């Protein structure tokens, strides 16, 4: 699918100067901010692939590093959900204040621990967030924030991701917003099996089409 790209640039978000990659296709229908998982970054091949297909479907995307290089070297920060959630909020606020993106409806896409951070941020930001998607996430780590999420939330889990399925079921039970748990048969935690990541993308686009545009 050929879509013209209106803007594509590296950006710096707030302090401590988080590095990000912003892509805005022509006629963008909304923007999706990515919150990557533990030990990953804005350069995650899986998230960049998801972002490319979202761009082709006229969704703007912002991938950014939740931690600086120095912060990421301390493994405790990688699992500090409160810290990561504050960084997601920082990116959302930057997007709302940036003239190029201020008028676009906002969605979040979280993976692994980034999914918990996205949900905590969504609970804090309320109506500023229109939709959330979690890929192989740990939404259970959002804990008491789960009940405060108002944005429609899609939880996608691999059928072979034993243990994480149950954690997502737990999270769904503690949420009061519109939510759906979608299991992708034959997929592991990282959705590396043939066709499984494409299924994640199709489910995500359908969710954003319904709630983000």
């Amino acid at each position: 699918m050929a879509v013209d790209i209106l803007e594509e640039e590296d950006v710096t978000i707030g302090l401590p100067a988080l590095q990000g990659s912003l892509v805005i296709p022509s006629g963008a229908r909304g923007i999706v901010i990515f919150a990557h998982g533990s030990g990953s970054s804005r350069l995650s091949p899986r998230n960049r692939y998801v972002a490319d297909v979202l761009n082709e479907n006229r969704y703007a995307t912002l991938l950014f590093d939740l931690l600086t290089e120095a912060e990421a070297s301390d493994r405790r920060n990688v699992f500090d959900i409160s810290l990561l959630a504050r960084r997601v909020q920082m990116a959302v606020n930057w997007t709302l204040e940036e003239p190029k993106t201020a008028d676009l409806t906002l969605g979040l896409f979280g993976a692994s621990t980034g999914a918990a951070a996205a949900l905590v941020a969504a609970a804090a930001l309320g109506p500023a967030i229109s939709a959330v998607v979690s890929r192989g996430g740990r939404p259970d780590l959002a804990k008491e924030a789960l009940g405060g999420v108002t944005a429609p939330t899609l939880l996608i889990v691999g059928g072979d991701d034993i243990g994480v399925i149950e954690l997502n079921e737990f999270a769904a039970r503690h949420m009061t917003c519109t939510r759906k748990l979608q299991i992708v048969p034959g997929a592991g935690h990282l959705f590396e099996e043939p066709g499984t990541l494409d299924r994640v993308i199709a489910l995500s686009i359908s969710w954003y089409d319904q709630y983000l545009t």
Side-chain angles (χ1 to χ4, degrees):
M1 182 186 301
V3 174
D4 292 334
I5 300 299
L6 191 63
E7 298 280 348
E8 185 171 5
E9 61 179 319
D10 293 330
V11 297
T12 301
I13 299 169
L15 292 173
L18 304 175
Q19 301 304 305
S21 301
L22 174 68
V23 177
I24 306 175
S26 181
R29 301 187 289 160
I31 183 166
V32 177
I33 298 175
F34 282 68
H36 57 73
S38 55
S40 189
S41 74
R42 72 187 189 283
L43 304 178
S44 160
R46 281 178 291 276
N47 279 350
R48 292 186 72 89
Y49 177 64
V50 174
D52 286 344
V53 182
L54 286 174
N55 296 152
E56 291 172 0
N57 284 268
R58 293 195 292 116
Y59 288 106
T61 54
L62 173 63
L63 288 80
F64 75 104
D65 292 337
L66 277 72
L67 301 170
T68 65
E69 188 173 338
E71 289 171 336
S73 66
D74 185 342
R75 290 294 292 176
R76 291 173 297 181
N77 290 328
V78 173
F79 296 95
D80 187 339
I81 303 302
S82 295
L83 171 61
L84 300 180
R86 291 195 299 272
R87 297 296 169 80
V88 174
Q89 290 183 62
M90 184 186 302
V92 169
N93 290 333
W94 180 89
T95 303
L96 292 171
E97 294 168 2
E98 168 60 44
K100 297 173 184 176
T101 55
D103 293 333
L104 297 174
T105 52
L106 270 162
L108 301 177
F109 184 96
S112 191
T113 53
L119 288 169
V120 173
L125 293 164
I129 305 301
S130 297
V132 179
V133 173
S134 163
R135 171 184 66 79
R138 287 292 309 276
D140 57 296
L141 295 176
K143 298 181 179 177
E144 63 272 8
L146 289 169
V149 177
T150 58
T153 299
L154 176 64
L155 306 171
I156 306 175
V157 190
D160 295 341
D161 199 2
I162 306 303
V164 175
I165 295 175
E166 289 76 11
L167 294 173
N168 276 259
E169 291 173 337
F170 167 87
R173 288 196 301 270
H174 286 78
M175 301 176 79
T176 58
C177 62
T178 298
R179 71 273 193 201
K180 182 177 182 181
L181 175 60
Q182 185 75 54
I183 296 176
V184 177
H189 185 62
L190 297 178
F191 296 90
E192 296 176 306
E193 298 78 10
T196 57
L197 189 55
D198 289 322
R199 180 59 180 155
V200 169
I201 295 172
L203 292 167
S204 301
I205 289 174
S206 177
W207 196 258
Y208 291 135
D209 284 349
Q210 187 172 359
Y211 295 108
L212 189 57
T213 54

PDB file of all heavy atoms in Angstrom, residues 80-119:
ATOM      1  N   ASP A  80      10.776  -0.505  36.367  1.00  0.00           N
ATOM      2  CA  ASP A  80      10.163   0.541  37.193  1.00  0.00           C
ATOM      3  C   ASP A  80       8.955   1.094  36.441  1.00  0.00           C
ATOM      4  O   ASP A  80       9.072   2.039  35.663  1.00  0.00           O
ATOM      5  CB  ASP A  80      11.184   1.638  37.491  1.00  0.00           C
ATOM      6  CG  ASP A  80      10.669   2.670  38.491  1.00  0.00           C
ATOM      7  OD1 ASP A  80       9.437   2.792  38.650  1.00  0.00           O
ATOM      8  OD2 ASP A  80      11.504   3.366  39.100  1.00  0.00           O
ATOM      9  N   ILE A  81       7.798   0.489  36.662  1.00  0.00           N
ATOM     10  CA  ILE A  81       6.610   0.838  35.886  1.00  0.00           C
ATOM     11  C   ILE A  81       6.210   2.298  36.100  1.00  0.00           C
ATOM     12  O   ILE A  81       5.799   2.986  35.161  1.00  0.00           O
ATOM     13  CB  ILE A  81       5.438  -0.101  36.232  1.00  0.00           C
ATOM     14  CG1 ILE A  81       5.834  -1.568  35.986  1.00  0.00           C
ATOM     15  CG2 ILE A  81       4.203   0.264  35.410  1.00  0.00           C
ATOM     16  CD1 ILE A  81       6.270  -1.870  34.573  1.00  0.00           C
ATOM     17  N   SER A  82       6.346   2.792  37.318  1.00  0.00           N
ATOM     18  CA  SER A  82       5.992   4.189  37.592  1.00  0.00           C
ATOM     19  C   SER A  82       6.859   5.135  36.780  1.00  0.00           C
ATOM     20  O   SER A  82       6.367   6.116  36.193  1.00  0.00           O
ATOM     21  CB  SER A  82       6.137   4.489  39.087  1.00  0.00           C
ATOM     22  OG  SER A  82       5.216   3.734  39.837  1.00  0.00           O
ATOM     23  N   LEU A  83       8.152   4.867  36.728  1.00  0.00           N
ATOM     24  CA  LEU A  83       9.069   5.692  35.933  1.00  0.00           C
ATOM     25  C   LEU A  83       8.720   5.618  34.455  1.00  0.00           C
ATOM     26  O   LEU A  83       8.622   6.652  33.766  1.00  0.00           O
ATOM     27  CB  LEU A  83      10.506   5.233  36.158  1.00  0.00           C
ATOM     28  CG  LEU A  83      11.576   5.862  35.242  1.00  0.00           C
ATOM     29  CD1 LEU A  83      11.628   7.376  35.433  1.00  0.00           C
ATOM     30  CD2 LEU A  83      12.942   5.223  35.497  1.00  0.00           C
ATOM     31  N   LEU A  84       8.508   4.406  33.955  1.00  0.00           N
ATOM     32  CA  LEU A  84       8.192   4.238  32.533  1.00  0.00           C
ATOM     33  C   LEU A  84       6.869   4.921  32.182  1.00  0.00           C
ATOM     34  O   LEU A  84       6.735   5.520  31.106  1.00  0.00           O
ATOM     35  CB  LEU A  84       8.131   2.756  32.180  1.00  0.00           C
ATOM     36  CG  LEU A  84       9.410   1.942  32.424  1.00  0.00           C
ATOM     37  CD1 LEU A  84       9.189   0.490  32.019  1.00  0.00           C
ATOM     38  CD2 LEU A  84      10.593   2.543  31.680  1.00  0.00           C
ATOM     39  N   ALA A  85       5.898   4.845  33.073  1.00  0.00           N
ATOM     40  CA  ALA A  85       4.596   5.481  32.826  1.00  0.00           C
ATOM     41  C   ALA A  85       4.747   6.993  32.766  1.00  0.00           C
ATOM     42  O   ALA A  85       4.099   7.654  31.937  1.00  0.00           O
ATOM     43  CB  ALA A  85       3.599   5.090  33.911  1.00  0.00           C
ATOM     44  N   ARG A  86       5.595   7.561  33.619  1.00  0.00           N
ATOM     45  CA  ARG A  86       5.830   9.011  33.558  1.00  0.00           C
ATOM     46  C   ARG A  86       6.450   9.401  32.227  1.00  0.00           C
ATOM     47  O   ARG A  86       6.138  10.475  31.669  1.00  0.00           O
ATOM     48  CB  ARG A  86       6.722   9.453  34.724  1.00  0.00           C
ATOM     49  CG  ARG A  86       6.049   9.368  36.089  1.00  0.00           C
ATOM     50  CD  ARG A  86       6.811  10.148  37.136  1.00  0.00           C
ATOM     51  NE  ARG A  86       8.170   9.653  37.345  1.00  0.00           N
ATOM     52  CZ  ARG A  86       8.481   8.686  38.208  1.00  0.00           C
ATOM     53  NH1 ARG A  86       7.519   8.102  38.920  1.00  0.00           N
ATOM     54  NH2 ARG A  86       9.738   8.308  38.367  1.00  0.00           N
ATOM     55  N   ARG A  87       7.290   8.545  31.696  1.00  0.00           N
ATOM     56  CA  ARG A  87       7.913   8.833  30.401  1.00  0.00           C
ATOM     57  C   ARG A  87       6.869   8.753  29.277  1.00  0.00           C
ATOM     58  O   ARG A  87       6.913   9.533  28.322  1.00  0.00           O
ATOM     59  CB  ARG A  87       9.074   7.859  30.151  1.00  0.00           C
ATOM     60  CG  ARG A  87      10.206   7.999  31.193  1.00  0.00           C
ATOM     61  CD  ARG A  87      10.860   9.367  31.112  1.00  0.00           C
ATOM     62  NE  ARG A  87      11.752   9.646  32.217  1.00  0.00           N
ATOM     63  CZ  ARG A  87      13.005   9.201  32.341  1.00  0.00           C
ATOM     64  NH1 ARG A  87      13.518   8.380  31.441  1.00  0.00           N
ATOM     65  NH2 ARG A  87      13.740   9.567  33.368  1.00  0.00           N
ATOM     66  N   VAL A  88       5.948   7.804  29.378  1.00  0.00           N
ATOM     67  CA  VAL A  88       4.879   7.731  28.385  1.00  0.00           C
ATOM     68  C   VAL A  88       4.028   9.002  28.451  1.00  0.00           C
ATOM     69  O   VAL A  88       3.684   9.592  27.414  1.00  0.00           O
ATOM     70  CB  VAL A  88       3.999   6.477  28.608  1.00  0.00           C
ATOM     71  CG1 VAL A  88       2.797   6.491  27.658  1.00  0.00           C
ATOM     72  CG2 VAL A  88       4.816   5.205  28.395  1.00  0.00           C
ATOM     73  N   GLN A  89       3.705   9.450  29.651  1.00  0.00           N
ATOM     74  CA  GLN A  89       2.947  10.699  29.805  1.00  0.00           C
ATOM     75  C   GLN A  89       3.715  11.876  29.213  1.00  0.00           C
ATOM     76  O   GLN A  89       3.121  12.769  28.597  1.00  0.00           O
ATOM     77  CB  GLN A  89       2.651  10.945  31.281  1.00  0.00           C
ATOM     78  CG  GLN A  89       1.645   9.979  31.886  1.00  0.00           C
ATOM     79  CD  GLN A  89       1.332  10.320  33.325  1.00  0.00           C
ATOM     80  OE1 GLN A  89       0.821  11.390  33.620  1.00  0.00           O
ATOM     81  NE2 GLN A  89       1.641   9.408  34.228  1.00  0.00           N
ATOM     82  N   MET A  90       5.030  11.885  29.397  1.00  0.00           N
ATOM     83  CA  MET A  90       5.853  12.943  28.831  1.00  0.00           C
ATOM     84  C   MET A  90       5.726  12.972  27.305  1.00  0.00           C
ATOM     85  O   MET A  90       5.592  14.025  26.689  1.00  0.00           O
ATOM     86  CB  MET A  90       7.315  12.736  29.231  1.00  0.00           C
ATOM     87  CG  MET A  90       8.268  13.838  28.788  1.00  0.00           C
ATOM     88  SD  MET A  90      10.009  13.417  29.144  1.00  0.00           S
ATOM     89  CE  MET A  90       9.937  13.183  30.919  1.00  0.00           C
ATOM     90  N   ALA A  91       5.752  11.776  26.702  1.00  0.00           N
ATOM     91  CA  ALA A  91       5.630  11.686  25.246  1.00  0.00           C
ATOM     92  C   ALA A  91       4.244  12.124  24.782  1.00  0.00           C
ATOM     93  O   ALA A  91       4.103  12.795  23.748  1.00  0.00           O
ATOM     94  CB  ALA A  91       5.916  10.258  24.780  1.00  0.00           C
ATOM     95  N   VAL A  92       3.219  11.754  25.547  1.00  0.00           N
ATOM     96  CA  VAL A  92       1.856  12.179  25.208  1.00  0.00           C
ATOM     97  C   VAL A  92       1.743  13.696  25.279  1.00  0.00           C
ATOM     98  O   VAL A  92       1.202  14.346  24.368  1.00  0.00           O
ATOM     99  CB  VAL A  92       0.827  11.513  26.146  1.00  0.00           C
ATOM    100  CG1 VAL A  92      -0.551  12.157  25.963  1.00  0.00           C
ATOM    101  CG2 VAL A  92       0.744  10.016  25.872  1.00  0.00           C
ATOM    102  N   ASN A  93       2.266  14.281  26.337  1.00  0.00           N
ATOM    103  CA  ASN A  93       2.201  15.741  26.483  1.00  0.00           C
ATOM    104  C   ASN A  93       2.969  16.435  25.371  1.00  0.00           C
ATOM    105  O   ASN A  93       2.517  17.468  24.844  1.00  0.00           O
ATOM    106  CB  ASN A  93       2.745  16.157  27.852  1.00  0.00           C
ATOM    107  CG  ASN A  93       1.829  15.748  28.981  1.00  0.00           C
ATOM    108  OD1 ASN A  93       0.624  15.605  28.796  1.00  0.00           O
ATOM    109  ND2 ASN A  93       2.385  15.534  30.164  1.00  0.00           N
ATOM    110  N   TRP A  94       4.111  15.873  24.995  1.00  0.00           N
ATOM    111  CA  TRP A  94       4.882  16.439  23.876  1.00  0.00           C
ATOM    112  C   TRP A  94       4.047  16.402  22.593  1.00  0.00           C
ATOM    113  O   TRP A  94       4.015  17.383  21.837  1.00  0.00           O
ATOM    114  CB  TRP A  94       6.176  15.649  23.685  1.00  0.00           C
ATOM    115  CG  TRP A  94       7.040  16.143  22.563  1.00  0.00           C
ATOM    116  CD1 TRP A  94       8.024  17.099  22.626  1.00  0.00           C
ATOM    117  CD2 TRP A  94       6.981  15.731  21.187  1.00  0.00           C
ATOM    118  NE1 TRP A  94       8.576  17.292  21.378  1.00  0.00           N
ATOM    119  CE2 TRP A  94       7.954  16.468  20.487  1.00  0.00           C
ATOM    120  CE3 TRP A  94       6.199  14.813  20.487  1.00  0.00           C
ATOM    121  CZ2 TRP A  94       8.175  16.317  19.110  1.00  0.00           C
ATOM    122  CZ3 TRP A  94       6.407  14.655  19.125  1.00  0.00           C
ATOM    123  CH2 TRP A  94       7.389  15.394  18.452  1.00  0.00           C
ATOM    124  N   THR A  95       3.372  15.284  22.368  1.00  0.00           N
ATOM    125  CA  THR A  95       2.562  15.118  21.160  1.00  0.00           C
ATOM    126  C   THR A  95       1.400  16.107  21.134  1.00  0.00           C
ATOM    127  O   THR A  95       1.066  16.664  20.086  1.00  0.00           O
ATOM    128  CB  THR A  95       2.035  13.669  21.086  1.00  0.00           C
ATOM    129  OG1 THR A  95       3.142  12.759  21.114  1.00  0.00           O
ATOM    130  CG2 THR A  95       1.245  13.438  19.809  1.00  0.00           C
ATOM    131  N   LEU A  96       0.797  16.328  22.302  1.00  0.00           N
ATOM    132  CA  LEU A  96      -0.329  17.262  22.385  1.00  0.00           C
ATOM    133  C   LEU A  96       0.106  18.712  22.175  1.00  0.00           C
ATOM    134  O   LEU A  96      -0.680  19.545  21.727  1.00  0.00           O
ATOM    135  CB  LEU A  96      -1.020  17.125  23.743  1.00  0.00           C
ATOM    136  CG  LEU A  96      -1.764  15.806  23.997  1.00  0.00           C
ATOM    137  CD1 LEU A  96      -2.198  15.711  25.452  1.00  0.00           C
ATOM    138  CD2 LEU A  96      -2.960  15.672  23.062  1.00  0.00           C
ATOM    139  N   GLU A  97       1.365  19.012  22.490  1.00  0.00           N
ATOM    140  CA  GLU A  97       1.869  20.379  22.364  1.00  0.00           C
ATOM    141  C   GLU A  97       2.566  20.636  21.035  1.00  0.00           C
ATOM    142  O   GLU A  97       2.774  21.791  20.653  1.00  0.00           O
ATOM    143  CB  GLU A  97       2.840  20.668  23.511  1.00  0.00           C
ATOM    144  CG  GLU A  97       2.169  20.670  24.882  1.00  0.00           C
ATOM    145  CD  GLU A  97       3.170  20.659  26.022  1.00  0.00           C
ATOM    146  OE1 GLU A  97       4.394  20.692  25.738  1.00  0.00           O
ATOM    147  OE2 GLU A  97       2.731  20.602  27.189  1.00  0.00           O
ATOM    148  N   GLU A  98       2.938  19.568  20.328  1.00  0.00           N
ATOM    149  CA  GLU A  98       3.622  19.706  19.044  1.00  0.00           C
ATOM    150  C   GLU A  98       2.600  20.077  17.960  1.00  0.00           C
ATOM    151  O   GLU A  98       1.638  19.342  17.735  1.00  0.00           O
ATOM    152  CB  GLU A  98       4.319  18.385  18.695  1.00  0.00           C
ATOM    153  CG  GLU A  98       4.840  18.279  17.277  1.00  0.00           C
ATOM    154  CD  GLU A  98       5.860  19.359  16.949  1.00  0.00           C
ATOM    155  OE1 GLU A  98       6.743  19.622  17.794  1.00  0.00           O
ATOM    156  OE2 GLU A  98       5.764  19.919  15.847  1.00  0.00           O
ATOM    157  N   PRO A  99       2.779  21.211  17.292  1.00  0.00           N
ATOM    158  CA  PRO A  99       1.790  21.646  16.290  1.00  0.00           C
ATOM    159  C   PRO A  99       1.497  20.603  15.210  1.00  0.00           C
ATOM    160  O   PRO A  99       0.357  20.505  14.738  1.00  0.00           O
ATOM    161  CB  PRO A  99       2.445  22.897  15.688  1.00  0.00           C
ATOM    162  CG  PRO A  99       3.322  23.423  16.775  1.00  0.00           C
ATOM    163  CD  PRO A  99       3.852  22.205  17.481  1.00  0.00           C
ATOM    164  N   LYS A 100       2.486  19.791  14.852  1.00  0.00           N
ATOM    165  CA  LYS A 100       2.287  18.809  13.788  1.00  0.00           C
ATOM    166  C   LYS A 100       1.354  17.670  14.204  1.00  0.00           C
ATOM    167  O   LYS A 100       0.765  16.996  13.351  1.00  0.00           O
ATOM    168  CB  LYS A 100       3.637  18.216  13.362  1.00  0.00           C
ATOM    169  CG  LYS A 100       4.610  19.225  12.772  1.00  0.00           C
ATOM    170  CD  LYS A 100       5.964  18.590  12.549  1.00  0.00           C
ATOM    171  CE  LYS A 100       6.986  19.606  12.050  1.00  0.00           C
ATOM    172  NZ  LYS A 100       8.335  19.007  11.923  1.00  0.00           N
ATOM    173  N   THR A 101       1.229  17.446  15.496  1.00  0.00           N
ATOM    174  CA  THR A 101       0.473  16.289  15.970  1.00  0.00           C
ATOM    175  C   THR A 101      -0.664  16.650  16.928  1.00  0.00           C
ATOM    176  O   THR A 101      -1.443  15.771  17.315  1.00  0.00           O
ATOM    177  CB  THR A 101       1.413  15.301  16.692  1.00  0.00           C
ATOM    178  OG1 THR A 101       2.101  15.995  17.749  1.00  0.00           O
ATOM    179  CG2 THR A 101       2.446  14.737  15.732  1.00  0.00           C
ATOM    180  N   ALA A 102      -0.761  17.915  17.298  1.00  0.00           N
ATOM    181  CA  ALA A 102      -1.691  18.327  18.351  1.00  0.00           C
ATOM    182  C   ALA A 102      -3.142  17.997  18.026  1.00  0.00           C
ATOM    183  O   ALA A 102      -3.948  17.768  18.947  1.00  0.00           O
ATOM    184  CB  ALA A 102      -1.544  19.824  18.612  1.00  0.00           C
ATOM    185  N   ASP A 103      -3.507  17.957  16.756  1.00  0.00           N
ATOM    186  CA  ASP A 103      -4.899  17.741  16.374  1.00  0.00           C
ATOM    187  C   ASP A 103      -5.239  16.267  16.135  1.00  0.00           C
ATOM    188  O   ASP A 103      -6.379  15.948  15.774  1.00  0.00           O
ATOM    189  CB  ASP A 103      -5.234  18.544  15.118  1.00  0.00           C
ATOM    190  CG  ASP A 103      -5.203  20.045  15.364  1.00  0.00           C
ATOM    191  OD1 ASP A 103      -5.441  20.450  16.531  1.00  0.00           O
ATOM    192  OD2 ASP A 103      -4.937  20.808  14.418  1.00  0.00           O
ATOM    193  N   LEU A 104      -4.264  15.386  16.329  1.00  0.00           N
ATOM    194  CA  LEU A 104      -4.504  13.966  16.064  1.00  0.00           C
ATOM    195  C   LEU A 104      -4.969  13.239  17.325  1.00  0.00           C
ATOM    196  O   LEU A 104      -4.454  13.475  18.415  1.00  0.00           O
ATOM    197  CB  LEU A 104      -3.206  13.302  15.559  1.00  0.00           C
ATOM    198  CG  LEU A 104      -2.657  13.821  14.234  1.00  0.00           C
ATOM    199  CD1 LEU A 104      -1.303  13.175  13.930  1.00  0.00           C
ATOM    200  CD2 LEU A 104      -3.636  13.550  13.095  1.00  0.00           C
ATOM    201  N   THR A 105      -5.962  12.364  17.169  1.00  0.00           N
ATOM    202  CA  THR A 105      -6.389  11.552  18.306  1.00  0.00           C
ATOM    203  C   THR A 105      -5.261  10.584  18.679  1.00  0.00           C
ATOM    204  O   THR A 105      -4.517  10.114  17.814  1.00  0.00           O
ATOM    205  CB  THR A 105      -7.660  10.760  17.975  1.00  0.00           C
ATOM    206  OG1 THR A 105      -7.458  10.042  16.744  1.00  0.00           O
ATOM    207  CG2 THR A 105      -8.848  11.682  17.845  1.00  0.00           C
ATOM    208  N   LEU A 106      -5.155  10.290  19.959  1.00  0.00           N
ATOM    209  CA  LEU A 106      -4.003   9.573  20.492  1.00  0.00           C
ATOM    210  C   LEU A 106      -4.335   8.139  20.887  1.00  0.00           C
ATOM    211  O   LEU A 106      -5.319   7.873  21.581  1.00  0.00           O
ATOM    212  CB  LEU A 106      -3.488  10.298  21.736  1.00  0.00           C
ATOM    213  CG  LEU A 106      -2.425  11.377  21.534  1.00  0.00           C
ATOM    214  CD1 LEU A 106      -2.350  12.264  22.755  1.00  0.00           C
ATOM    215  CD2 LEU A 106      -1.084  10.711  21.291  1.00  0.00           C
ATOM    216  N   GLY A 107      -3.460   7.220  20.449  1.00  0.00           N
ATOM    217  CA  GLY A 107      -3.531   5.841  20.893  1.00  0.00           C
ATOM    218  C   GLY A 107      -2.181   5.407  21.423  1.00  0.00           C
ATOM    219  O   GLY A 107      -1.154   6.014  21.110  1.00  0.00           O
ATOM    220  N   LEU A 108      -2.169   4.353  22.224  1.00  0.00           N
ATOM    221  CA  LEU A 108      -0.934   3.802  22.761  1.00  0.00           C
ATOM    222  C   LEU A 108      -0.789   2.355  22.325  1.00  0.00           C
ATOM    223  O   LEU A 108      -1.778   1.630  22.186  1.00  0.00           O
ATOM    224  CB  LEU A 108      -0.924   3.877  24.292  1.00  0.00           C
ATOM    225  CG  LEU A 108      -1.047   5.266  24.925  1.00  0.00           C
ATOM    226  CD1 LEU A 108      -1.098   5.157  26.446  1.00  0.00           C
ATOM    227  CD2 LEU A 108       0.108   6.167  24.501  1.00  0.00           C
ATOM    228  N   PHE A 109       0.466   1.933  22.102  1.00  0.00           N
ATOM    229  CA  PHE A 109       0.779   0.544  21.751  1.00  0.00           C
ATOM    230  C   PHE A 109       1.917   0.111  22.665  1.00  0.00           C
ATOM    231  O   PHE A 109       3.030   0.614  22.565  1.00  0.00           O
ATOM    232  CB  PHE A 109       1.195   0.437  20.287  1.00  0.00           C
ATOM    233  CG  PHE A 109       1.437  -0.980  19.812  1.00  0.00           C
ATOM    234  CD1 PHE A 109       0.435  -1.674  19.158  1.00  0.00           C
ATOM    235  CD2 PHE A 109       2.663  -1.597  20.023  1.00  0.00           C
ATOM    236  CE1 PHE A 109       0.660  -2.984  18.712  1.00  0.00           C
ATOM    237  CE2 PHE A 109       2.892  -2.903  19.592  1.00  0.00           C
ATOM    238  CZ  PHE A 109       1.888  -3.596  18.934  1.00  0.00           C
ATOM    239  N   GLY A 110       1.628  -0.817  23.586  1.00  0.00           N
ATOM    240  CA  GLY A 110       2.632  -1.237  24.549  1.00  0.00           C
ATOM    241  C   GLY A 110       3.001  -2.694  24.394  1.00  0.00           C
ATOM    242  O   GLY A 110       2.155  -3.529  24.055  1.00  0.00           O
ATOM    243  N   ALA A 111       4.268  -3.001  24.646  1.00  0.00           N
ATOM    244  CA  ALA A 111       4.738  -4.380  24.601  1.00  0.00           C
ATOM    245  C   ALA A 111       5.436  -4.717  25.914  1.00  0.00           C
ATOM    246  O   ALA A 111       6.126  -3.874  26.492  1.00  0.00           O
ATOM    247  CB  ALA A 111       5.702  -4.584  23.436  1.00  0.00           C
ATOM    248  N   SER A 112       5.248  -5.939  26.396  1.00  0.00           N
ATOM    249  CA  SER A 112       5.884  -6.419  27.617  1.00  0.00           C
ATOM    250  C   SER A 112       5.623  -5.449  28.771  1.00  0.00           C
ATOM    251  O   SER A 112       4.487  -5.068  29.017  1.00  0.00           O
ATOM    252  CB  SER A 112       7.385  -6.630  27.365  1.00  0.00           C
ATOM    253  OG  SER A 112       7.979  -7.324  28.427  1.00  0.00           O
ATOM    254  N   THR A 113       6.675  -5.006  29.477  1.00  0.00           N
ATOM    255  CA  THR A 113       6.471  -4.065  30.585  1.00  0.00           C
ATOM    256  C   THR A 113       5.973  -2.715  30.092  1.00  0.00           C
ATOM    257  O   THR A 113       5.340  -1.967  30.843  1.00  0.00           O
ATOM    258  CB  THR A 113       7.770  -3.871  31.376  1.00  0.00           C
ATOM    259  OG1 THR A 113       8.828  -3.509  30.474  1.00  0.00           O
ATOM    260  CG2 THR A 113       8.155  -5.159  32.109  1.00  0.00           C
ATOM    261  N   GLY A 114       6.239  -2.394  28.826  1.00  0.00           N
ATOM    262  CA  GLY A 114       5.743  -1.145  28.254  1.00  0.00           C
ATOM    263  C   GLY A 114       4.231  -1.091  28.215  1.00  0.00           C
ATOM    264  O   GLY A 114       3.637  -0.011  28.255  1.00  0.00           O
ATOM    265  N   ALA A 115       3.585  -2.263  28.149  1.00  0.00           N
ATOM    266  CA  ALA A 115       2.117  -2.294  28.163  1.00  0.00           C
ATOM    267  C   ALA A 115       1.588  -1.821  29.510  1.00  0.00           C
ATOM    268  O   ALA A 115       0.600  -1.093  29.581  1.00  0.00           O
ATOM    269  CB  ALA A 115       1.617  -3.702  27.855  1.00  0.00           C
ATOM    270  N   ALA A 116       2.241  -2.238  30.596  1.00  0.00           N
ATOM    271  CA  ALA A 116       1.837  -1.775  31.922  1.00  0.00           C
ATOM    272  C   ALA A 116       2.029  -0.275  32.043  1.00  0.00           C
ATOM    273  O   ALA A 116       1.167   0.435  32.576  1.00  0.00           O
ATOM    274  CB  ALA A 116       2.635  -2.507  33.001  1.00  0.00           C
ATOM    275  N   ALA A 117       3.164   0.221  31.544  1.00  0.00           N
ATOM    276  CA  ALA A 117       3.428   1.661  31.581  1.00  0.00           C
ATOM    277  C   ALA A 117       2.375   2.425  30.786  1.00  0.00           C
ATOM    278  O   ALA A 117       1.902   3.485  31.211  1.00  0.00           O
ATOM    279  CB  ALA A 117       4.821   1.950  31.030  1.00  0.00           C
ATOM    280  N   ALA A 118       1.984   1.881  29.630  1.00  0.00           N
ATOM    281  CA  ALA A 118       0.971   2.533  28.801  1.00  0.00           C
ATOM    282  C   ALA A 118      -0.365   2.595  29.527  1.00  0.00           C
ATOM    283  O   ALA A 118      -1.071   3.609  29.468  1.00  0.00           O
ATOM    284  CB  ALA A 118       0.823   1.795  27.472  1.00  0.00           C
ATOM    285  N   LEU A 119      -0.718   1.527  30.239  1.00  0.00           N
ATOM    286  CA  LEU A 119      -2.000   1.499  30.945  1.00  0.00           C
ATOM    287  C   LEU A 119      -2.002   2.437  32.153  1.00  0.00           C
ATOM    288  O   LEU A 119      -3.007   3.104  32.420  1.00  0.00           O
ATOM    289  CB  LEU A 119      -2.326   0.074  31.379  1.00  0.00           C
ATOM    290  CG  LEU A 119      -2.716  -0.871  30.228  1.00  0.00           C
ATOM    291  CD1 LEU A 119      -2.752  -2.312  30.692  1.00  0.00           C
ATOM    292  CD2 LEU A 119      -4.064  -0.464  29.634  1.00  0.00           C
TER     293      LEU A 119
END
